[in-house]
Amino acid sequence: MTVQPADGLSPATEFPGPSHDQWQSLVEGVLRRSGKDFRGAAAEEALSTALGDGLTVRPLYTSADASPDPGLPGFAPFTRGSRVTGSTADGWDVRQRHELADPVRLNEAVLGDLENGVTSLWLAVGGPGGVPVSGLARALEGVHLDLAPVALDAGADPGPAVRELLGLYEARGVAKGAVRGSLGVDPLGQSARTGTEPEAASAVHWARLCSHEYPGLRALAVDALPYHEAGGSAAEELGLSLATGVAYLRELTAAGLSVEEACAQLEFRYAATADQFLTIAKLRAARRLWARVAEVCGAPAAGAQRQHAVTSPVMMTRRDPWVNMLRTTLACLGASVGGAESVTVLPFDHSLGLPDAFARRIARNTSTILVEESHLARVTDPAGGSWYVERLTDELAAAAWVFFQEVEKAGGQAAALRSGMVRERLAATWAARSRDLARRKEPVTGVSEFPALHERPVEREPAPAGPPAGGLPRVRRDEAFEALRARSDAHLAATGSRPRVFMAALGPASVHTARASFAANLFLSGGIEPVHEPVSVDASTAAAAFEASGATIACLCSTDTLYAEQGDTVASALRAAGAEQIFLAGRPGEYAGADVHVFAGCDVVAVLSSELDRMGVA
């Protein structure tokens, strides 16, 4: 028996589709309830988020947000992936990085990783922190080189390390056709890191050798990490990687390789950040852009870009490093959904020194969980078809192509590095981002937001020295706040206590808690310890409470109404008790009894740095 609704409508009847104007009208109502009167497009704009490169993320995307046809997975323009199936049948290549100078210790770490989920090795060889070339055989003792691909990071002079590795393959009887991995030769990347002139002859030599004798081995790395680590945006990272790849194509084809053979020698390396959607769009856009390069070069079928994604060193923090586990998980998710063939998850203690066994275990297990328990590798291009992701991919690709053309007009990647164009562009981008970080518009959990001032620091064996000075700088999101915290730590070591601020909260907790919590969080981010005892004060109790706090500065926290009623008298009592500086949680307004106002959007770094200077915290 079929039961019909009383009104005669079938349960299968479609609901009427809401219009964009109806949605916008609902947004207007929500904004009005929060005290913001925006109408029409302005209401939608109020909920939009500005990204770098002039991009904007809107709150709503629909089928009207047209973007170019991304094609099919495994076919040009390769937006949806370089292969027809997902990352691989068993997931992506889990590539662990190692920087250990002791071959014995390196061997122990390598074997432990390979036995527990790692599928390829990324080894620093030579240089200040890498294993010596002479120790490479010992470091790889017991490793089945026909099963575990090796990627080298051999610095500015890769020749000795490459010859040693190829010699190991031959000595252990690995057939040339079974050799897989990457030699990591990257003259332009080394030039970006060190400021030295790129040396292209060795790159051509190794590319020709691999092309003719080692079909599974890629000679050249197009490493975009130097530009990301110098503060570059996603579009700048993509544009510079394109310029580098094109420069290598010119060198290799001039040396006699075909475009197809030259493309097969390149592996592109990108940073994956905790902004998972931007990471997804960046990797998809990178494939689409490189496919366009291959098409223009007359080899459209050769445009399937091989990608190695590395979780961003810039986002890793030294304070509360445990949060880095969450950041790298999001970055790994973005890299895998974005279609990277190889993914390196940096250990959570990467910024503190050499990672321990626990940190490496968590890093490799991040991929294992996403593959085995979240089943991310079972779906090809899982973000494909999302109006938001497709539009973001298109806009990012367009911005990157514009910058790539600017680099080409400047004479190409080598010329742009030599002239300082790349340095200046990235510095300007980082300066703008630093302003957002200082104002906490881009919050850093555990550093600029919710810092744990009394948490015991995590200590690690010091990491080897980085590349010599002269190249692009290496920046970190936490660097400005880290400098403030370091000053507080030094003060604690010298005096036995941290600089303090007395939280002079007016009225009951129900009215002052929001601003008191905001202000306490702000001062903690600079290493200044808030003292909030008692919970509330007034003109008669503020002086005694301040004297008992051991602080030399105070911060008024309450509503604008109570500031007007009690602010002057409480501030006078605090000054009489010795307060050298009075802060107020709230924007500058009619009340003028405070020396400094702290509020959402203020330059926290400038305010706290100035205060530490005034307090004599060197």
Side-chain angles (χ1 to χ4, degrees):
M1 182 177 66
T2 302
V3 178
Q4 293 290 337
D7 57 7
L9 292 176
S10 167
T13 300
E14 293 185 0
F15 291 100
S19 67
H20 188 270
D21 289 340
Q22 287 175 310
W23 175 83
Q24 211 168 68
S25 177
L26 292 174
V27 171
E28 293 173 6
V30 172
L31 291 174
R32 278 196 297 273
R33 286 195 291 274
S34 62
K36 300 175 182 178
D37 188 15
F38 293 104
R39 303 295 174 90
E44 190 168 345
E45 183 67 25
L47 299 180
S48 298
T49 302
L51 302 178
D53 306 307
L55 306 183
T56 300
V57 175
R58 303 196 308 276
L60 179 68
Y61 289 82
T62 71
S63 58
D65 293 294
S67 57
D69 182 3
L72 298 173
F75 295 91
F78 302 104
T79 304
R80 303 199 63 197
S82 297
R83 288 188 299 270
V84 175
T85 58
S87 298
T88 66
D90 300 315
W92 48 91
D93 169 33
V94 180
R95 183 176 293 179
Q96 191 87 323
R97 179 169 175 81
H98 291 275
E99 289 182 273
L100 281 172
D102 183 350
V104 176
R105 290 179 60 193
L106 178 56
N107 181 251
E108 293 174 355
V110 161
L111 292 178
D113 285 344
L114 290 173
E115 291 171 358
N116 292 280
V118 166
T119 56
S120 72
L121 305 170
W122 185 17
L123 305 179
V125 182
V131 65
V133 172
S134 60
L136 188 58
R138 177 66 182 88
L140 294 176
E141 189 174 300
V143 176
H144 295 285
L145 295 177
D146 55 336
L147 300 178
V150 174
L152 293 180
D153 180 357
D157 184 17
V162 171
R163 284 187 287 270
E164 181 72 9
L165 179 62
L166 296 181
L168 279 178
Y169 286 124
E170 183 176 357
R172 297 186 185 180
V174 180
K176 291 183 177 180
V179 173
R180 293 174 297 134
S182 169
L183 299 182
V185 179
D186 185 17
L188 288 170
Q190 286 300 314
S191 177
R193 288 203 183 279
T194 64
T196 57
E197 279 294 311
E199 197 279 302
S202 66
V204 170
H205 169 74
W206 296 119
R208 293 177 68 176
L209 177 68
C210 291
S211 180
H212 296 151
E213 299 186 28
Y214 296 91
L217 192 60
R218 294 175 184 258
L220 303 185
V222 178
D223 191 358
L225 288 182
Y227 316 114
H228 172 77
E229 291 186 78
S233 66
E236 289 163 348
E237 185 182 346
L238 290 179
L240 292 169
S241 74
L242 282 184
T244 301
V246 168
Y248 289 156
L249 284 187
R250 292 189 178 114
E251 293 287 343
L252 297 183
T253 53
L257 272 67
S258 68
V259 174
E260 290 84 357
E261 290 171 331
C263 286
Q265 290 305 307
L266 305 181
E267 179 178 78
F268 288 75
R269 185 175 298 137
Y270 296 107
T273 72
D275 186 337
Q276 70 269 32
F277 287 110
L278 190 59
T279 296
I280 293 167
K282 180 166 68 176
L283 296 177
R284 298 173 92 249
R287 289 193 297 273
R288 175 181 159 191
L289 292 170
W290 187 245
R292 176 58 177 157
V293 170
E295 180 185 18
V296 171
C297 293
Q305 188 183 78
R306 172 82 185 191
Q307 294 180 335
H308 172 205
V310 183
T311 57
S312 165
V314 176
M315 73 178 180
M316 306 289 269
T317 63
R318 287 157 279 193
R319 307 285 172 163
D320 202 358
W322 316 103
V323 182
N324 291 331
M325 296 183 194
L326 305 178
R327 296 186 178 102
T328 54
T329 299
L330 287 169
C332 183
L333 183 149
S336 58
V337 173
E341 286 85 2
S342 300
V343 179
T344 296
V345 175
L346 296 179
F348 73 88
D349 53 2
H350 172 80
S351 298
L352 300 173
L354 293 176
D356 64 5
F358 171 74
R360 292 200 313 275
R361 172 187 171 192
I362 294 297
R364 64 178 180 255
N365 281 350
T366 300
S367 284
T368 301
I369 288 175
L370 293 177
V371 171
E372 301 294 342
E373 299 187 21
S374 297
H375 310 299
L376 287 186
R378 294 188 179 183
V379 180
T380 301
D381 188 29
S386 161
W387 295 315
Y388 168 43
V389 171
E390 297 292 5
R391 186 61 178 264
L392 183 59
T393 298
D394 181 48
E395 293 176 347
L396 184 56
W401 190 261
V402 168
F403 183 53
F404 162 64
Q405 291 178 314
E406 291 178 18
V407 175
E408 288 294 286
K409 288 178 182 177
Q413 179 73 346
L417 285 169
R418 193 180 303 116
S419 69
M421 170 193 170
V422 173
R423 177 185 291 271
E424 292 172 5
R425 174 68 176 258
L426 301 186
T429 299
W430 180 245
R433 188 177 179 188
S434 295
R435 288 192 290 272
D436 285 343
L437 288 163
R439 289 170 168 77
R440 302 196 298 181
K441 292 182 178 180
E442 182 182 337
V444 183
T445 304
V447 177
S448 65
E449 295 285 355
F450 312 112
L453 189 60
H454 299 291
E455 184 177 44
R456 184 177 179 179
V458 177
E459 297 181 356
R460 291 291 184 264
E461 180 182 345
L472 297 175
R474 288 186 172 186
V475 301
R476 297 179 189 269
R477 288 201 309 162
D478 69 350
E479 59 187 23
F481 288 94
E482 177 65 25
L484 298 175
R485 292 286 295 274
R487 294 174 67 178
S488 174
D489 290 347
H491 188 76
L492 174 64
T495 66
S497 64
R498 294 189 183 275
R500 294 180 176 178
V501 56
F502 175 65
M503 309 301 290
L506 312 180
S510 59
V511 300
H512 71 236
T513 294
R515 278 180 168 169
S517 298
F518 164 82
N521 193 38
L522 182 147
F523 285 109
L524 282 168
S525 69
I528 300 177
E529 182 180 3
V531 180
H532 194 176
E533 179 64 35
V535 173
S536 300
V537 297
D538 55 27
S540 64
T541 60
F546 176 79
E547 291 174 353
S549 71
T552 59
I553 60 176
C555 181
L556 296 174
C557 304
S558 193
T559 62
D560 292 342
T561 301
L562 286 178
Y563 287 153
E565 294 175 357
Q566 304 179 31
D568 281 326
T569 54
V570 173
S572 297
L574 292 169
R575 293 187 195 281
E580 300 170 0
Q581 189 93 308
I582 302 293
F583 289 80
L584 183 140
R587 292 184 176 275
E590 296 180 3
Y591 177 70
D595 302 306
V596 182
H597 290 256
V598 290
F599 50 89
C602 73
D603 190 331
V604 175
V605 171
V607 168
L608 297 183
S609 180
S610 175
E611 185 56 28
L612 290 176
D613 288 343
R614 196 200 59 75
M615 297 170 76
V617 179

